[in-house]
Amino acid sequence: MMPLVKAVGVEKRFGDFQALRGIDAEVHEGEVVCILGPSGSGKSTFLRCINQLEGIDGGALWVEGQLVGYRRSGNNLHQLSDKEIARQRRSIGMVFQRFNLFEHMSVLDNIIEGPVRVLKGSRAEAVKTAEELLARVGLAGKAGSYPSELSGGQQQRVAIARALAMKPTLMLFDEPTSALDPELVGEVLNVMRSLAETGMTMVVVTHEIGFAREVADRVIFMDGGQVVEEGTPQAVFTSPQHKRTRDFLSAVL
């Protein structure tokens, strides 16, 4: 079976800086994969390439069996239009470090914006789904609130609900707790744990070692734009094979 996400030799450059140096990785349906590594290792860039917020400069990426960013015709590749890229991206939910909520819109309107305007669904159905999702993330009763009235943890939970409202087959989390005060981290991780328990396919860039140890099916350690090591949490955390992994873990643990 084709993995839900497959990367082969993926490269990404920003001017003279090469952020990704031949990434090979797979994520299968229903898996939770946590990506660890020091700042600047390429973790977030790889996530942004999966979601086509960045184009790749080499290699190939597939999501749900579709070549990301390109259409193949015989031996030729044709770059997709912005509209085609947006269509590919619809099945991917992404939660960022910063919550990226629309400050001038209520919680409810933030969540229904995509289903109504992008998916062209009915407002009544979108509102019903939004209320169910708010209850699911522990924010029932907050539909009429505005982002400025919520804590950081609450805003991030709204961001998760907003992503889920698009009914994604894949959820990407880019250090979703890094902008939160320590006492608010747990409430977001609890929502992510419950989401993993439903079988949602998740790729999580995180420094939360405890979460990765408990929830991940596989852990990928990146450094210098490369995958240095990957395996089960048990294997990576208790007997890492590479010095760079051991040094990183000794520093963060």
Side-chain angles (χ1 to χ4, degrees):
M1 248 182 112
M2 183 79 170
L4 194 65
V5 179
K6 184 177 177 68
V8 177
V10 170
E11 298 181 0
K12 176 64 185 177
R13 299 176 190 86
F14 297 100
D16 294 333
F17 175 67
Q18 188 161 358
L20 299 178
R21 300 171 178 270
I23 298 293
D24 295 327
E26 293 184 356
V27 180
H28 293 267
E29 187 174 353
E31 267 196 315
V32 177
V33 175
C34 286
I35 305 179
L36 310 177
S39 296
S41 60
K43 310 180 301 295
S44 296
T45 298
F46 181 50
L47 228 57
R48 292 175 65 84
C49 288
I50 293 173
N51 202 25
Q52 300 193 64
L53 296 174
E54 301 287 353
I56 65 175
D57 297 312
L61 258 173
W62 291 265
V63 175
E64 295 187 281
Q66 292 189 343
L67 190 62
V68 165
Y70 295 90
R71 181 177 58 256
R72 188 180 295 279
S73 178
N75 292 323
N76 298 317
L77 289 178
H78 303 280
Q79 195 163 6
L80 297 182
S81 67
D82 289 344
K83 184 178 288 188
E84 289 171 316
I85 288 173
R87 191 177 301 119
Q88 278 193 343
R89 194 185 284 147
R90 284 181 190 176
S91 64
I92 303 174
M94 188 157 180
V95 178
F96 300 86
Q97 297 177 35
R98 296 290 174 179
F99 324 119
N100 290 359
L101 299 177
F102 296 114
E103 294 290 336
H104 66 288
M105 295 167 60
S106 70
V107 164
L108 178 68
D109 286 337
N110 265 280
I111 295 173
I112 69 172
E113 175 81 358
V116 172
R117 294 193 60 179
V118 178
L119 299 183
K120 308 301 182 187
S122 76
R123 179 180 173 85
E125 185 63 31
V127 169
K128 180 175 180 291
T129 299
E131 289 172 343
E132 291 170 352
L133 288 170
L134 283 172
R136 184 174 171 184
V137 300
L139 292 173
K142 293 292 186 181
S145 300
Y146 284 80
S148 61
E149 300 171 325
L150 304 178
S151 70
Q154 290 173 325
Q155 290 187 62
Q156 194 62 295
R157 285 184 280 156
V158 172
I160 293 172
R162 180 179 62 180
L164 292 174
M166 296 293 285
K167 298 180 169 60
T169 56
L170 170 67
M171 284 286 287
L172 307 177
F173 293 86
D174 186 9
E175 299 193 33
T177 61
S178 65
L180 301 179
D181 291 333
E183 67 269 21
L184 302 177
V185 168
E187 62 190 51
V188 173
L189 294 181
N190 285 337
V191 170
M192 293 170 63
R193 280 189 192 91
S194 65
L195 186 58
E197 288 168 0
T198 69
M200 172 63 74
T201 309
M202 298 165 58
V203 183
V204 184
V205 169
T206 184
H207 290 297
E208 299 291 340
I209 302 298
F211 175 84
R213 191 193 300 271
E214 176 189 348
V215 178
D217 295 296
R218 280 189 301 117
V219 171
I220 293 174
F221 175 70
M222 289 180 61
D223 191 28
Q226 297 177 307
V227 173
V228 174
E229 186 162 355
E230 68 173 295
T232 65
Q234 173 75 9
V236 172
F237 293 134
T238 62
S239 54
Q241 300 300 300
H242 294 267
K243 183 178 183 300
R244 280 183 289 176
T245 315
R246 291 194 293 271
D247 289 347
F248 174 79
L249 291 174
S250 66
V252 299
L253 293 176

